[in-house]
Amino acid sequence: MEKTAALKKSIRSHIFSTDHRVIARLYFFLALAAVLVGTTLSLVMRFHLIYPLAPVAGTVPTPEFYLSLLTLHGTLMVFFVLTLAPLNAFGNLVLPEQLGAQGMAFPRLNAISFWTTLASFALLIASFLAVGGGPLSGWTAYPPLSAVGAIAGPGEGPGQTLWFFSIGLFSIASLITAINMIATVIDERGPGMTLMRMPLTCWNWFVTAILSLLAFSVLFAALLLILLDRLAGTSFFVPAGLLVNDQIVAHDGGSPLLWQHLFWFFGHPEVYIAILPGMGIVSHVIANFSRKPVFGYRAMVWASISIAFLGLLVWGHHMFISGLNPYSAIAFSLLTMVIGAPSAVKTFNWIATAWNGALRLTTPMLFALGFVSIFVTGGLSGLFLGQPQIDAYFHDTYFVVAHFHLIMGIAALFGIFAGAFYWFPLMFGRMMNEQLGKLHFYLTFIGAYATFLPMHFAGFAGNPRRYSDFTTFDFLAQVLSLQRWITYSAFFLASVQVIFLWNLFHSLRRGTPAPGNPWQSTSMEWSEHEGPVVRGPYEYSRPGAPRDYLMQNDVHDV
């Protein structure tokens, strides 16, 4: 009875809590649930690609079912993993404390944001199980088919409507979080914590929040318009004279390209919403385990701001094959090349920070260095896709899949892993196993490259993406063996994550109790614990009060 009562009390305290650390843990486990579902869906897809006639759950998947798997996988990973974990989970956990604040600026809104996100997640899962099939328009949901309803075929009925409502709720929650984080940085900083003394983690969360506020506002408006097309008969995205399934659609005057402009004005900043928090985590971790201040602090700050600003201006490079004006394509291409400059500044500064440092190759440090490697590798393929003439060939091939997964998926996940291992003691009061962590890193690093590098070669061969079966096309016979290798590597990469899950849940219950400051960090989230901290070659005692500590010490990612 006592255990039951304690469990009920714990559940009530989590449901109604406005504590930023509790909300951070809730976001962390929601992102974990999403990544497990999303990864499982990707494995089903990969299995079907090399064994297209093999039954799954007793039936052979149809092309429509494959596209539903693809849609749910992409939506889960982009929104509920790559957005939630680095920004909402780690940002809630660490941002207020690194600023010397008492908490988030709007605690109740913070809690409302999480529960709105959870409702969005439930709606997304429901969309997959809806009558008429799950949504199959991909995470981009291009009209006109996504805008005309069930007449367009399987998956375009209630499932697609629920998908739009799900992403609409997610947009509202993201806007609330963005406002909360911006207000926290501007108004809640402790005495002495000027903007140019904030750790780079805080800078990147701040810039990401501004980016989220601008990008999700546009996405939310676009979702309202397309729902009006579906449910109220308006014609924002549906052109006149459209013939679908031998029926003339009663819409006129709309433009499918308008949706692309609105969506990609959100969609490209979303890449940086996923990657910028990881950049901040990596800067923090590399500096800490090199025992040096981060190299070129101000340059790193301005690089983050530049990446966010330029990220708002390059959406058109997703539309090179849409009939975009060639002069506009040249402008978007030039801006795409320019955005590589601040990214290069960050990469060189990470290397300079680690150079001649007293390196400690802990698990967080390994994942941070792995992030740099994956980020550079994935970014190089972006140079090709930024050229309109080259993109015309590569756009609908596995070359884009490789680029997208490396630069946004795997690099961001490495940042998430670095943050998870680094702040696990802060989140749960215990240490994760270092030996298992390092094994997990090395196998994940190998598996990531083995899975996604070969996709570039499939792209060179013209292997289209979104196809559910490659075996019926003679021109794809040459890439079947390569696709089998990718599938086997993907299963290897997914199986390696069992090590992380075991390490995580075992450490939650039986991990070594964490010392007050396990990484000898000088940043504020550990400041409530007494004891010496190391700064470069020197050692000093931390004052007990965080605000006094702020006044006396420079806290630039050391």
Side-chain angles (χ1 to χ4, degrees):
M1 293 294 292
E2 291 181 1
K3 289 184 177 180
T4 303
L7 179 61
K8 290 181 179 178
K9 183 179 179 181
S10 176
I11 292 174
R12 284 197 300 270
S13 66
H14 278 72
I15 290 176
F16 299 107
S17 177
T18 57
D19 183 275
H20 66 97
R21 283 193 178 184
V22 173
I23 294 171
R25 288 194 287 268
L26 293 174
Y27 273 121
F28 180 80
F29 284 113
L30 177 58
L32 184 64
V35 78
L36 291 176
V37 176
T39 301
T40 302
L41 296 175
S42 70
L43 295 180
V44 175
M45 291 160 57
R46 291 305 319 177
F47 179 81
H48 176 69
L49 285 175
I50 62 171
Y51 301 112
L53 299 180
V56 175
T59 60
V60 177
T62 62
E64 291 79 10
F65 181 70
Y66 175 85
L67 291 175
S68 292
L69 293 175
L70 183 148
T71 299
L72 192 62
H73 164 74
T75 306
L76 282 170
M77 300 302 272
V78 170
F79 290 98
F80 292 91
V81 179
L82 302 178
T83 301
L84 287 191
L87 180 63
N88 297 48
F90 296 141
N92 266 292
L93 178 70
V94 178
L95 177 67
E97 299 185 12
Q98 286 192 344
L99 295 175
Q102 299 299 318
M104 297 295 284
F106 307 112
R108 289 185 179 86
L109 282 180
N110 204 22
I112 290 171
S113 177
F114 169 76
W115 293 108
T116 305
T117 304
L118 184 63
S120 169
F121 179 78
L123 273 181
L124 183 64
I125 300 301
S127 74
F128 185 69
L129 306 174
V131 175
L136 44 69
S137 298
W139 79 284
T140 57
Y142 280 169
L145 293 183
S146 66
V148 297
I151 188 178
E156 298 289 3
Q160 188 66 53
T161 301
L162 286 174
W163 187 92
F164 284 125
F165 276 110
S166 169
I167 303 308
L169 279 180
F170 188 92
S171 299
I172 293 171
S174 296
L175 291 172
I176 294 172
T177 297
I179 293 169
N180 209 350
M181 287 192 170
I182 293 169
T184 301
V185 171
I186 292 175
D187 290 336
E188 301 297 319
R189 300 193 311 276
M193 180 60 83
T194 62
L195 287 175
M196 280 300 172
R197 294 187 72 199
M198 291 196 309
L200 289 176
T201 42
C202 298
W203 261 111
N204 281 49
W205 284 317
F206 180 46
V207 171
T208 303
I210 296 172
L211 206 55
S212 294
L213 185 64
L214 297 172
F216 276 103
S217 298
V218 174
L219 178 64
F220 185 65
L223 290 167
L224 291 178
L225 297 181
I226 202 167
L227 280 171
L228 287 173
D229 277 8
R230 288 179 63 85
L231 304 177
T234 58
S235 300
F236 293 103
F237 305 117
V238 184
L242 187 67
L243 189 69
V244 179
N245 283 339
D246 295 327
Q247 300 182 49
I248 297 178
V249 178
H251 292 262
D252 58 40
S255 170
L257 282 180
L258 176 60
W259 169 267
Q260 290 195 34
H261 281 290
L262 293 174
F263 180 86
W264 286 117
F265 188 84
F266 152 79
H268 196 81
E270 170 62 20
V271 174
Y272 299 110
I273 290 169
I275 203 75
L276 275 170
M279 290 178 172
I281 293 168
V282 166
S283 300
H284 191 73
V285 168
I286 290 178
N288 187 80
F289 292 112
S290 300
R291 313 316 298 156
K292 291 169 58 181
V294 68
F295 182 86
Y297 171 84
R298 289 180 179 271
M300 295 288 266
V301 170
W302 286 109
S304 296
I305 295 171
S306 300
I307 288 172
F309 175 71
L310 291 170
L312 290 167
L313 305 179
V314 297
W315 79 90
H317 71 209
H318 295 273
M319 301 171 58
F320 284 151
I321 66 167
S322 67
L324 198 67
N325 184 292
Y327 294 106
S328 299
I330 292 172
F332 285 121
S333 179
L334 289 174
L335 287 168
T336 302
M337 297 299 103
V338 170
I339 206 170
S343 300
V345 168
K346 283 187 170 290
T347 302
F348 292 134
N349 283 16
W350 288 326
I351 296 171
T353 301
W355 191 265
N356 283 335
L359 298 184
R360 290 185 295 161
L361 295 179
T362 61
T363 302
M365 181 64 160
L366 289 173
F367 273 108
L369 296 175
F371 173 99
V372 178
S373 172
I374 298 288
F375 179 72
V376 171
T377 303
L380 288 175
S381 56
L383 299 176
F384 296 91
L385 296 173
Q387 309 304 315
Q389 293 302 316
I390 300 176
D391 183 70
Y393 176 81
F394 280 138
H395 184 85
D396 202 35
T397 72
Y398 263 76
F399 193 91
V400 171
V401 179
H403 168 74
F404 181 80
H405 280 80
L406 281 176
I407 198 69
M408 185 179 180
I410 299 301
L413 283 174
F414 270 51
I416 292 170
F417 282 132
F421 279 95
Y422 185 77
W423 284 310
F424 187 87
L426 190 69
M427 195 180 293
F428 301 109
R430 295 182 180 273
M431 300 294 293
M432 294 183 74
N433 185 284
E434 272 290 295
Q435 285 70 36
L436 286 178
K438 290 177 180 178
L439 177 64
H440 171 234
F441 164 74
Y442 288 117
L443 294 179
T444 300
F445 188 74
I446 294 169
Y449 271 116
T451 302
F452 296 107
L453 269 187
M455 289 184 180
H456 292 91
F457 301 112
F460 283 130
N463 194 157
R465 47 185 174 143
R466 304 188 188 95
Y467 278 30
S468 66
D469 184 359
F470 300 137
T471 60
T472 57
F473 299 95
D474 292 338
F475 81 99
L476 293 178
Q478 60 181 334
V479 299
L480 291 180
S481 59
L482 188 61
Q483 288 291 350
R484 281 193 288 269
W485 167 268
I486 293 171
T487 296
Y488 300 148
S489 298
F491 273 87
F492 170 77
L493 178 61
S495 64
V496 166
Q497 306 317 305
V498 175
I499 300 173
F500 173 75
L501 294 174
W502 168 262
N503 197 355
L504 174 70
F505 288 106
H506 184 267
S507 299
L508 279 174
R509 295 179 59 85
R510 302 179 183 273
T512 303
N517 186 3
W519 310 118
Q520 294 82 50
S521 172
T522 63
S523 54
M524 289 289 294
E525 71 269 31
W526 311 100
S527 64
E528 66 187 58
H529 305 288
E530 298 288 345
V533 291
V534 177
R535 184 177 184 192
Y538 306 107
E539 184 174 84
Y540 59 86
S541 293
R542 183 196 313 276
R547 293 175 183 267
D548 292 340
Y549 173 69
L550 266 175
M551 295 295 291
Q552 298 173 26
N553 300 287
D554 189 358
V555 291
H556 285 174
D557 293 295
V558 179

